[in-house]
């Protein structure tokens, strides 16, 4: 429920009351500041409340942007201010100050604007002001100004602006030119029929799962259908975000569903392709698992770099030479699109996978995907390393905490860290790289069933403890989580491949998928401001070094067939633990009314 307090004398012919009711507000009239304060006190604390000047002239979408966005506790446009329950106390204090100043007299200017000024003057209070562009929001002081404002409103089609703003500002070439021109209208169609972004997100997931099932048939018709359905799933994936922006239906649960379903769709499709290839006598499970490992590591690079370079009150803006070069390239239009395409973002990647699935074989699809993603990973990571080395910035405590959470160290590393703290600092990336390279190289070269991978896993646990012994504030410390991911996932892949028995690689695929979900869940909790998952979960699933030790131990002690069973059991156990806890957390956060967020999606 929402309540709007309309202050001042209504203007004949004004549609403000109708507009507010259309946006779902119960409208209450207040003659002056004192009356407005009384009306505010009567609104239950759990409701959104808005204070709007009765003389407001502007587009309906202006009011929608300023008064209904669930992501911000306090928001305002000229002539209107709103507060969610989290911002009610600040609004009440600002209102009280304005009432004492006005002395209860009839309003002579905009009370809403004076309240916003008072909120700005209050320490720790942030008022969101949406970018209106060509949209109009004004409180005219006389009839001539009102006529001019109404003419400005009539000159701009706010529905066209609303449709345009539903499309993400920075997107890939394929999405921008091949999907968004029509998916925005699909988003509007959904909005007018009362569909929610979460429902569209779920439809996108189901479509992708059907595509994976078609690919699993192993027939040419199945592959063609799979490619078409994967493209349609991506159209729906674009539509859910556009619907959220079009109707301002943001939520914490929706952001989590959108982000995690993207990963589930892509990796389920990999599994479907591998199953389809197996039906035709071609075993490409190693390629499918390699594609998932590479793609997940690319995302971890994105997450870690962004967390390490958050610009806030205690961080310095990026003034490095590489950033300056990037800015110069941005001024040349075509280079922007080229650079967006060569990193193989989700639109280009899914289009490539769909076309290759329909026209070629799963093996060719995976080989091209691996080559493209490897090039994109090299390009983006090299650029970020250069930026980190040349950027003059102070790494924050918040960034160090986020990187430590992303590292996902378990009880073994925690115990060893007490010893490693006495060693010299500045070794984090080198320690993580050396230990990870040692364990993966040993898994690749040593025979299955030998103790050498286990010895290398012990070394990896030691170097992992050394890497996280001190706060991760170095210029390249953001590389530590990606190195850990590559080492753990790569070791599982290589040991399963060395087992050389049916079912080992699919079991490894399931284990890596479960662990990757845990790592993605950690990222989205950090983005939502909740921090990492609880310590009991991290310890229960062993941490990256604990799982690597366990898999290496199983490979050393068990036969290949037994190892396959053990991997399957471990995959199921990890999946159950992380899924149950993740679902519990996100559903409870949604029910508790956590601040709504909107994830614009990953470029990779």
């Amino acid at each position: 429920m929402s309540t709007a307090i309309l202050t001042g004398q209504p203007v004949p012919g004004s549609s403000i009351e109708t507009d507010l009711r259309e946006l779902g507000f119960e409208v209450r009239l207040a003659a002056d500041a004192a009356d407005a304060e009384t009306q505010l006190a009567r609104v239950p604390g759990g409701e959104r409340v808005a204070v709007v000047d009765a003389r407001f002239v502007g587009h309906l979408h202006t009011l929608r942007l300023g008064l209904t966005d669930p992501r911000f506790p306090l928001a305002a446009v000229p002539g209107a201010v709103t507060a969610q329950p989290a911002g009610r106390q600040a609004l009440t204090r600002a209102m009280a100050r304005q009432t004492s100043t006005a002395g209860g007299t009839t309003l002579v200017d905009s009370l809403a604007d004076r309240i916003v000024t008072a909120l700005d003057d209050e320490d720790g209070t942030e008022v969101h002001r949406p970018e209106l562009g060509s949209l109009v929001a004004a409180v005219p002081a006389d009839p001539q100004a009102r006529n001019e404002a109404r003419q400005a409103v009539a000159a701009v089609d706010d529905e066209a602006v609303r449709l345009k703003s539903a499309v993400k500002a920075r997107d890939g070439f394929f999405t921008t030119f091949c999907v968004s021109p029509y998916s925005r209208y699909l988003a509007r169609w959904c909005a007018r029929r009362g569909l929610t972004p979460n429902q569209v997100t779920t439809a996108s997931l189901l479509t992708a799962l059907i595509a994976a099932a078609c690919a699993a048939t192993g027939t040419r018709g199945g592959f063609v259908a799979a490619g078409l359905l994967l493209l349609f799933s991506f159209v729906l994936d674009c539509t859910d975000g556009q619907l959220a922006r079009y109707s301002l239906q943001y939520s914490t649960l929706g952001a989590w569903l959108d982000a995690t379903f993207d990963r589930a769709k892509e990796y389920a499709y990999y599994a479907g392709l591998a199953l389809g290839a197996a039906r035709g006598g071609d075993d490409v499970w190693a390629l499918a698992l390699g594609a998932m490992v590479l793609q997940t590591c690319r995302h971890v690079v994105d997450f870690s770099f962004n967390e390490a370079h958050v610009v806030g009150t205690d961080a310095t803006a990026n003034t490095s030479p590489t950033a300056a070069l990037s800015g110069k390239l941005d001024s040349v239009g075509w280079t922007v699109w080229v650079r967006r395409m060569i990193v193989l973002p989700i639109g280009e990647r899914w289009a490539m996978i769909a076309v290759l699935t329909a026209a070629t074989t799963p093996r060719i699809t995976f080989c091209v995907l691996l080559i493209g993603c490897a090039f994109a990973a090299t390009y983006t990571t090299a650029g970020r390393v250069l930026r980190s080395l040349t950027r003059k910035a102070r790494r924050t405590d918040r960034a160090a905490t986020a990187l430590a959470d992303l590292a996902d160290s378990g009880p073994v590393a925690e115990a060893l860290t007490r010893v490693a703290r006495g060693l010299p600092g500045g070794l984090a990336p080198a320690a993580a790289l050396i230990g990870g390279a040692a364990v993966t190289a040993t898994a690749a070269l040593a025979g299955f069933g030998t103790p050498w991978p286990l010895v290398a896993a012990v070394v990896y646990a030691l170097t992992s403890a050394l890497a996280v012994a001190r706060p991760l504030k170095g210029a390249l410390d953001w590389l530590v989580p990606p190195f850990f991911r590559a080492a753990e996932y790569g070791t599982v892949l290589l040991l399963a491949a060395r087992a050389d028995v049916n079912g080992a690689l699919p079991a490894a695929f399931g284990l890596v998928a479960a662990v990757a979900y845990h790592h993605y869940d950690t990222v989205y909790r950090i983005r939502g401001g909740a921090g990492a998952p609880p310590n009991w979960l991290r310890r229960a699933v062993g941490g990256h070094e604990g799982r690597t030790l366990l898999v290496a131990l199983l490979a050393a002690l068990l036969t290949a067939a037994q190892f396959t069973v053990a991997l399957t059991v471990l995959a199921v156990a990890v999946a159950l633990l992380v899924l149950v806890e993740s679902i519990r957390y996100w559903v409870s956060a949604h029910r508790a009314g956590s601040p709504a967020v909107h994830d614009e999606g990953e470029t990779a």
Side-chain angles (χ1 to χ4, degrees), residues 433-510:
L433 177 60
I434 292 170
V439 70
T440 51
T442 305
L445 299 175
F448 183 83
T450 66
W452 297 115
L454 179 58
V455 173
V458 172
V459 173
Y460 172 66
L462 292 170
T463 57
S464 299
L466 176 61
V468 297
R470 296 174 180 269
L472 298 175
K473 291 187 176 183
L476 296 178
D477 284 0
W478 57 270
L479 287 169
V480 170
F483 284 156
F484 286 165
R485 297 297 83 79
E488 179 187 358
Y489 301 161
T491 299
V492 174
L493 187 162
L494 291 166
L495 288 176
R498 296 290 287 176
D500 196 23
V501 64
N502 288 337
L505 282 167
F509 188 98

Side-chain angles (χ1 to χ4, degrees), residues 74 317 573:
L74 292 162

Side-chain angles (χ1 to χ4, degrees), residues 7 11 21 82 125 137 141 157 186 195 200 211 218 234 247 283 377 395 414 422 482 496 507-508 542:
T7 62
V11 178
R21 290 193 176 96
T82 185
T125 301
D157 183 352
L186 179 58
L195 298 177
V200 179
F234 181 68
S247 58
D283 187 354
R395 272 68 185 183
E414 287 179 347

Side-chain angles (χ1 to χ4, degrees), residues 247-447:
S247 58
L248 300 183
Q249 296 184 74
Y250 303 120
S251 70
T252 298
L253 181 63
W256 170 69
L257 288 175
D258 183 47
T260 54
F261 280 9
D262 279 352
R263 307 286 77 81
K265 287 181 286 190
E266 186 166 2
Y267 299 158
Y269 192 82
Y270 292 174
L273 275 179
L275 288 170
R279 287 180 177 271
D282 189 10
D283 187 354
V284 297
W285 275 105
L287 296 177
L289 181 50
M292 181 167 67
V293 169
L294 180 55
Q295 190 56 39
T296 303
C297 289
R298 284 187 65 197
H299 282 136
V300 176
V301 168
D302 291 342
F303 300 147
S304 296
F305 179 82
N306 291 335
E307 288 299 328
H309 295 83
V310 171
V311 177
T313 56
D314 53 353
T316 306
N318 192 350
T319 57
S320 68
T322 50
L325 175 61
S326 179
K328 290 180 180 179
L329 289 175
D330 284 343
S331 63
V332 184
W334 64 269
T335 66
V336 174
W337 293 114
V338 170
R339 285 184 293 142
R340 289 185 190 179
M341 291 175 68
I342 62 176
V343 300
L344 212 61
I346 187 170
E348 277 76 357
R349 189 170 70 252
W350 282 28
M352 181 184 72
I353 293 171
V355 171
L356 290 174
T357 299
T360 65
T361 65
R363 179 172 291 275
I364 292 176
T365 300
F366 281 123
C367 287
V368 174
L369 177 63
L370 284 166
I371 293 170
C373 287
F375 174 80
T378 302
Y379 170 79
T380 56
T381 305
R384 287 167 176 171
V385 168
L386 288 174
R387 284 176 180 245
S388 299
L389 291 174
T390 57
R391 181 182 184 188
K392 297 178 180 179
R394 180 163 52 91
R395 272 68 185 183
T396 67
D397 291 334
R398 177 195 177 282
T401 300
L403 291 178
D405 291 337
L406 290 173
D408 189 33
S409 299
V412 175
E414 287 179 347
L416 294 173
T417 296
R418 300 187 184 95
V419 178
R421 285 198 181 104
L423 298 176
L427 302 176
L433 177 60
I434 292 170
V439 70
T440 51
T442 305
L445 299 175

